[in-house]
Amino acid sequence: SGGAHGHADALNLGLFAYGLDLLPEFGYPPVQFGGWESPRAQWYKQTTAHNTVVADGANQRAAGGKCTLWADGKAFHAVRASCPEAAAIRRYERTVALCDVDARSSYIIDVFRVSGGAEHVKFQHSHFGELELDGVALGPAAELIPDTQMRNFRMGRVPDSGFAARWTVQDRYGLLKAGQTVGLQHWELTEDAEAGTCEGWIAVGGYNTNNGLWIPRLVVRSRAIKPATTFLAVLEPHDGRPRVESVRRLTLISPSG
């Protein structure tokens, strides 16, 4: 996180599938909107603008993390990284496993463990397109974190069974073949949490224009109900035909109860 030409983006997750960047990084700050210190240029570097977790609404500090797991098998590939210094909390660790279904299809298990602080918020955005949530009763909500380029928050409680989110991808730049469809399915299984949607601002069209766009973002919020949060999700990029039919969370109980 941080450093020269760096963003506050420790443990940001990216995903490439079917010829598209489905969990994109916003990229180089759009300095044409008022310079380096303008709100929209600063937004691109903030932790809230990335596919990661924000602790207590604060930007991450400049810090280096470490890889604590690397597994590469025939149909299962996993990596775990830890960087608590960036978030200034006790535990800040993400484990991601890529599970192959066939030669072209995979799903991702995403486990983000956070300990310390009073509020943990996970943000996620995808490619251009639309986002729908199934299983959460959404209502208008206040802005969760000030001084960002996000708006139109709608939140609700996450049911015990979790919920599904669906991104319908729009091929804005004509990168796909004629008739090709790409989508992203997301199952959120985080317990004792709120979830919803908002819109985040991005620049489009390069650095010689002042064109902007608001894209949908997924929000999952955990407050000081318990000392730690385990964000748990399953993501499946697909070609219009998802292979995963259902997802459920198993509660593990030790022999001692």
Side-chain angles (χ1 to χ4, degrees), residues 54-57 116-121 144-145 221-224:
V54 180
D56 291 338
E119 180 185 71
H120 310 141
V121 185
L144 296 191
I145 299 174
R221 180 191 200 191
S222 174
R223 288 186 275 188

Side-chain angles (χ1 to χ4, degrees), residues 11-17 20-27 49-52 94 96 108 110 123-128 167 169 182 184-186 215-218 234-237:
L11 306 190
N12 178 72
L13 182 64
L15 172 65
F16 293 85
L20 293 178
D21 186 351
L22 293 179
L23 294 178
E25 180 8 274
F26 287 165
H50 294 85
N51 292 322
T52 189
R94 193 168 203 166
V96 181
I108 296 94
D110 179 21
F123 289 99
Q124 182 173 299
H125 56 261
S126 185
H127 201 77
F128 298 105
W167 268 276
V169 171
V182 176
L184 179 64
Q185 190 86 359
H186 177 114
I215 63 170
R217 308 191 80 206
L218 178 65
V234 175
L235 293 78
E236 185 193 9

Side-chain angles (χ1 to χ4, degrees), residues 172-209:
R172 182 182 179 95
Y173 294 131
L175 300 174
L176 301 179
K177 298 177 182 178
Q180 184 182 0
T181 300
V182 176
L184 179 64
Q185 190 86 359
H186 177 114
W187 288 269
E188 186 68 38
L189 302 169
T190 302
E191 297 178 324
D192 299 324
E194 305 167 87
T197 61
C198 69
E199 294 178 325
W201 182 88
I202 61 170
V204 293
Y207 296 93
N208 295 320
T209 72

Side-chain angles (χ1 to χ4, degrees), residues 86-97:
I89 54 178
R90 293 188 300 277
R91 190 176 191 183
Y92 195 70
E93 176 187 84
R94 193 168 203 166
T95 307
V96 181

Side-chain angles (χ1 to χ4, degrees), residues 54-89:
V54 180
D56 291 338
N59 272 324
Q60 296 169 353
R61 302 175 181 180
K66 61 181 179 180
C67 177
T68 59
L69 171 70
W70 183 270
D72 190 19
K74 291 183 178 180
F76 177 86
H77 325 270
V79 62
R80 181 175 64 227
S82 176
C83 194
E85 297 82 5
I89 54 178

Side-chain angles (χ1 to χ4, degrees), residues 133-142 144 153-160 162-163 188 190-198 218-223:
L133 268 60
D134 289 337
V136 181
L138 299 178
L144 296 191
F153 282 85
R154 295 179 59 80
M155 302 291 291
R157 292 297 304 174
V158 175
D160 292 342
F163 69 92
E188 186 68 38
T190 302
E191 297 178 324
D192 299 324
E194 305 167 87
T197 61
C198 69
L218 178 65
V219 185
V220 184
R221 180 191 200 191
S222 174
R223 288 186 275 188

